[in-house]
Each structure stands twice: as C-alpha cells, then as structure tokens.
Amino acid sequence: MTNPIFRARRLSLVSFAILGLGLIPCAASAQEDQPSGKSFVDNFDRIDSGRWYVSDGWNNGPHQNCTWSKKQVSVDGGMLKLQFTQAKTGQRDYACGEIQTTKTYGYGTYEARYRTATGSGLNSAFFTYIGETDKKPHDEIDFEVLGKNPGQVQVNQYIGAKGGNEKLVPVAGGADQGFNDYAFVWEKDRLRYYVNGKLVQEVSDPSKIPTHAQKIFFSLWGTDTLSGWMGKFAYGGGPATMQIDRVAFTAAGDKCQFPESIACKLN
C-alpha cells in the first residue's frame, strides 16, 4: 500500500536533494491557517495515540528501500525507538519506523533531543511537514542526518514544494555517537535553527519561510539509489536504531516548558 502524502513529500524532497539571538514575540503573528495543536512536551513514557500516528504498511516511492512498519516503533525506558531492519515487509526487503503528530502546529519553538542511527544510506530525520493530503501546499522544515556522514546535520525548508535551502552543520562528536539537541524557532519573518543551543542558521527572507501549520515527524529510512546524498547503502547485519529522548513544541508567546529549552533563553 502506498500513501500519497508521504510519497509526494519524499519525492519532492529527493528531487531537490539531487539538484541541488533575538526575542520570540509575545504573541504569534497571523498564520495562513489555524494550527490545531497546542504547546506540549513528550518524554516518551508511552506512545500517546492522541498525539501520535504510527506509519504502517507503505513506502514513499522507489527511492526508499524499506516499508514503514509499526513493529519498528517502540518505547523503552522513556525512550522512543525507531528501527531499520532486514525484514520482508510489503514490497521491500527492509522495514523502518516513522511517527507523525495527529495535529498541526504553527509559529513557535520546536525541540528534540535524540541520537541518530548508524549506517551509510540511512536518513534519521526530525521535521515538520504539510501537503496535498491535507489540502495544503507542501511546506516543510527539516533536520536530517545522512548516514554517509553523521558528523553533520542538514537543515532545509520547503515553501510550496520549493526547496534548495540546504545547509550542512557540524555535530560535534557525531550525531550517532550520543544525544544532541536540535531546535528551530519559526516566526512569520524569521526562521532560526539551533544545534546544542547554538544558532547555526538564520533565514530572514520571507520567500524562504514556510507559512502553513504543519505536523511533526520523526523517521528513519534507507535508500539503494540516493548514494550521492545519503551514502552507499550498506546494511550492518543488525537493526539500526534512532533514539528520541524528548520532543517539545512551545507556541509563540507561551512560557518555556523545561529548563533546557531554547524558549527559556529567548523569552
């Protein structure tokens, strides 16, 4: 089974990949559509089915060599685990994991603490997305660690399906060797990316800033074909795991929700 929202999103992402400290305002600026979600912190003591939908039973297109499987998504010891493993699933010989929020979120601070998977040809991603299935233009904001070089994270955004805004940012010690904090602050006229509390990218051109409320995703997937972007696929003989310790969204104007939050430093 192929879900068109994910197929369309990743095909757009892939095509572009191949081609190519201030204050948070007290109130959010008007957004093109009204988000349905509010501020939250999730420490993954369980998978809250009211907040998260687990992708299961499809792939995103020919570039993806695994099928999304709910069996590859679990919680253990306060940690969300997404796995990539060799297991005949659907049309693929590998199975992989993804979760997405059931609600959409708008301007504010998005934060996640996680450790990425190890393996060339894999993609460990924390991102927001909205698109065709929700009857909206394709808008997206990304953190992606590409298996060929876990010493870097790629930040990027799409506006109306137009990407080409990639920047590679160093992750000291390697994103797959320990837990790191990734965050972005999304405002109407500014988008800022942070790694371990350090500002690494600032976008102020309105034409390069998404405007539509989006869902939050975590995913781990692989490819046999996009070796130039993600590295030559080489299965290590056992499951690869992405571990997520915490994720939070703090709406613009809301108080910060935990001491280490970027929102605490900017408010």
Side-chain angles (χ1 to χ4, degrees):
M1 183 173 80
T2 302
N3 184 306
I5 180 172
F6 304 104
R7 183 175 66 247
R9 188 187 74 81
R10 277 303 172 192
L11 287 176
S12 295
L13 186 156
V14 167
S15 64
F16 283 109
I18 294 172
L19 293 172
L21 273 185
L23 298 176
I24 294 178
C26 292
S29 301
Q31 196 149 23
E32 285 198 32
D33 41 30
Q34 187 64 33
S36 57
K38 297 180 179 180
S39 297
F40 73 89
V41 178
D42 198 330
N43 292 302
F44 292 115
D45 296 317
R46 63 187 180 92
I47 297 177
D48 182 348
S49 60
R51 175 173 294 142
W52 299 103
Y53 172 78
V54 179
S55 301
D56 185 58
W58 66 86
N59 63 74
N60 290 352
H63 62 279
Q64 182 176 320
N65 66 3
C66 58
T67 298
W68 300 127
S69 171
K70 62 184 179 182
K71 294 180 181 179
Q72 306 310 317
V73 179
S74 63
V75 165
D76 182 22
M79 198 79 63
L80 173 68
K81 295 184 177 181
L82 305 181
Q83 287 195 310
F84 180 100
T85 191
Q86 188 169 22
K88 181 67 176 178
T89 309
Q91 300 173 343
R92 301 289 187 264
D93 291 329
Y94 297 90
C96 49
E98 178 180 75
I99 64 169
Q100 58 178 288
T101 55
T102 58
K103 296 181 179 180
T104 60
Y105 299 85
Y107 297 137
T109 302
Y110 295 72
E111 305 175 82
R113 179 171 178 79
Y114 57 94
R115 179 176 181 171
T116 66
T118 298
S120 182
L122 299 182
N123 186 322
S124 300
F126 161 50
F127 61 97
T128 57
Y129 166 78
I130 202 71
E132 290 180 359
T133 299
D134 294 290
K135 299 181 179 179
K136 300 292 181 182
H138 171 181
D139 276 7
E140 186 170 344
I141 302 172
D142 297 316
F143 280 102
E144 296 180 286
V145 173
L146 311 174
K148 70 177 183 180
N149 185 358
Q152 297 178 321
V153 61
Q154 178 180 281
V155 300
N156 189 27
Q157 65 274 0
Y158 288 80
I159 303 88
K162 182 179 180 181
N165 303 301
E166 298 91 347
K167 179 180 179 179
L168 290 170
V169 176
V171 180
D176 63 337
Q177 296 301 303
F179 286 87
N180 293 277
D181 295 293
Y182 305 85
F184 64 85
V185 181
W186 179 24
E187 300 169 89
K188 183 176 184 291
D189 300 314
R190 181 167 55 167
L191 175 61
R192 289 169 285 172
Y193 294 89
Y194 294 82
V195 175
N196 292 324
K198 179 183 177 181
L199 179 66
V200 295
Q201 170 79 319
E202 182 167 355
V203 181
S204 56
D205 180 349
S207 70
K208 295 185 177 181
I209 300 174
T211 57
H212 295 275
Q214 302 172 49
K215 296 177 181 178
I216 301 169
F217 288 71
F218 289 96
S219 69
L220 172 62
W221 60 282
T223 185
D224 293 319
T225 60
L226 302 176
S227 57
W229 182 43
M230 290 166 51
K232 184 177 180 180
F233 178 72
Y235 185 64
T241 305
M242 179 181 181
Q243 299 170 282
I244 300 99
D245 183 40
R246 178 183 60 227
V247 62
F249 167 71
T250 306
D254 285 2
K255 294 181 180 179
C256 68
Q257 303 179 88
F258 56 97
E260 303 86 358
S261 174
I262 287 290
C264 297
K265 300 176 182 179
L266 298 182
N267 276 341

